[in-house]
Amino acid sequence: MAQETLGDWGGTLATVFYVFLGYTSMIAYCSKSGEILYHLLNIPESVSGFLFTTVFTLLISIGGTRATDQFNQWLTASMIGLLVAIEVIAVVVGGWSGLDGSGNWGKVPATIPVIIFSLVYHDLAPVLCAYLGGDLPRLRASVLLGSLIPLLSLLVWDAISLGLSAQADQVIDPVELLMRVRWSGVSVMVEAFSLMAVGTSLIGTLLGFSEFFKEQLKSLSWNSSPTKTSKESTEFFGLRNWWGRNKISFTAMAMVVTPSLFISTTVPDAFSAATDIAGGYCMTMLYGVLPPAMAWAVHNQESKDSDRNELSRARPVVFAVGIFACGIVVEQVLLDFSAFHL
């Protein structure tokens, strides 16, 4: 869409940012899964992150979309159940009493990349459309429900966080306060919920990003069938047939997973750096800067269309959204620049 509306430079720009987004997201998930499993099982972060990512890679590669979807539904249901239990425990502990507490708006800019990284899921749209067969009512329902449930959970958790923070003598992560509850099962529940949240996110990113590479490999004519030779045995020829059918999928998956695992296991604190890049730059450019520019280009191309008045009325909004997104990118550049010189 970027290439059709903005030309070759737009398509190239969107591709570059999407590739960076895919890799930084994967690095963040691989790194965070290793950190969580280290706290749960005391396995080194690099080993546990590698094993966690490998399990999901095999699930998608061998099990396919249907099996992955069934597992993801179970994972999501379990995650929601754990979240409800954690929030109930937090309310019982007294986490709902601090709604009138004060906040520090000066801390907001540094959280913007994580907010964007957590709430943007548009890169899953092509996979979702293909999976639901382009059924618009089902697509609308899935997007609406899929957004509403996390939103409600987030609002409840925000209220709980304010309450827990009001009970602390100093600024501290509300999760750490919650994990200080005498019953040790709370800490396990929090870590398990975090791991499930990473797993569901990893599935979506891995599916979407691998499909992107599949399309690129198909355009290179990798899907040609192997040439028969009379001297080949039936077993060997069957193996070659199997590889001919699946080599694009496995190669695409390897192109996604291998660099991500290498960086996540060798770079210290890869999660924080990856989320800052993904949220502050890649997602903001892909879903904040480029869409208004594309809409503006469409308006210019179709200025003689009958919907000209409707598009004209929307131009101030499109312009405002684009300026706001550019402001986020500039703010992130300034934050990174100042942190680099500290």
Side-chain angles (χ1 to χ4, degrees), residues 184-203:
S184 59
V186 173
S187 61
V188 176
M189 291 172 63
V190 172
E191 298 289 2
F193 166 77
S194 302
L195 190 63
M196 290 180 180
V198 171
T200 56
S201 301
L202 179 64
I203 286 175

Side-chain angles (χ1 to χ4, degrees), residues 226-246:
T227 304
K228 295 183 179 181
T229 57
S230 57
K231 295 182 180 180
E232 289 176 325
S233 65
T234 304
E235 293 79 6
F236 181 69
F237 183 64
L239 181 62
R240 291 193 62 186
N241 270 339
W242 177 86
W243 173 246
R245 293 192 305 269
N246 296 281

Side-chain angles (χ1 to χ4, degrees), residues 80-96:
I80 294 174
L82 271 177
L83 180 60
V84 171
I86 292 170
E87 291 180 342
V88 168
I89 293 173
V91 172
V92 172
V93 170
W96 202 274

Side-chain angles (χ1 to χ4, degrees), residues 68-324:
T68 304
D69 174 60
Q70 293 177 358
F71 181 75
N72 192 47
Q73 289 181 16
W74 174 85
L75 209 61
T76 303
S78 302
M79 182 180 67
I80 294 174
L82 271 177
L83 180 60
V84 171
I86 292 170
E87 291 180 342
V88 168
I89 293 173
V91 172
V92 172
V93 170
W96 202 274
S97 59
L99 290 176
D100 297 328
S102 60
N104 185 354
W105 289 95
K107 300 293 185 179
V108 171
T111 66
I112 289 178
V114 178
I115 292 173
I116 297 175
F117 182 74
S118 302
L119 300 182
V120 172
Y121 58 87
H122 302 72
D123 51 332
L124 189 60
V127 175
L128 188 62
C129 291
Y131 182 69
L132 296 179
D135 189 335
L136 286 179
R138 294 177 66 194
L139 283 168
R140 291 191 183 102
S142 63
V143 170
L144 180 61
L145 293 176
S147 303
L148 185 61
I149 294 174
L151 174 62
L152 293 176
S153 301
L154 178 64
L155 293 176
V156 172
W157 177 250
D158 287 342
I160 292 172
S161 298
L162 290 172
L164 291 172
S165 299
Q167 299 178 19
D169 297 330
Q170 58 183 350
V171 178
I172 192 172
D173 188 347
V175 176
E176 293 185 18
L177 285 173
L178 185 60
M179 292 175 68
R180 291 179 181 179
V181 177
R182 291 183 178 180
W183 181 48
S184 59
V186 173
S187 61
V188 176
M189 291 172 63
V190 172
E191 298 289 2
F193 166 77
S194 302
L195 190 63
M196 290 180 180
V198 171
T200 56
S201 301
L202 179 64
I203 286 175
T205 301
L206 195 53
L207 273 173
F209 200 25
S210 61
E211 286 296 327
F212 168 80
F213 279 115
K214 283 182 187 179
E215 293 299 322
Q216 312 311 311
L217 293 174
K218 287 179 181 178
S219 66
L220 297 175
S221 300
W222 272 49
N223 56 342
S224 57
S225 58
T227 304
K228 295 183 179 181
T229 57
S230 57
K231 295 182 180 180
E232 289 176 325
S233 65
T234 304
E235 293 79 6
F236 181 69
F237 183 64
L239 181 62
R240 291 193 62 186
N241 270 339
W242 177 86
W243 173 246
R245 293 192 305 269
N246 296 281
K247 64 179 178 181
I248 292 180
S249 298
F250 285 111
T251 303
M253 198 66 70
M255 293 173 67
V256 173
V257 173
T258 304
S260 304
L261 283 175
F262 176 76
I263 296 176
S264 65
T265 55
T266 56
V267 176
D269 196 21
F271 176 77
S272 297
T275 51
D276 284 345
I277 295 173
Y281 296 106
C282 301
M283 285 185 170
T284 307
M285 286 295 299
L286 277 175
Y287 307 121
V289 176
L290 285 179
M294 294 160 62
W296 197 281
V298 169
H299 174 267
N300 292 334
Q301 293 171 3
E302 300 179 357
S303 58
K304 297 180 180 180
D305 191 78
S306 59
D307 293 332
R308 177 182 178 183
N309 293 332
E310 295 181 8
L311 289 171
S312 298
R313 287 194 297 269
R315 292 189 78 166
V317 178
V318 170
F319 181 77
V321 171
I323 291 297
F324 179 75

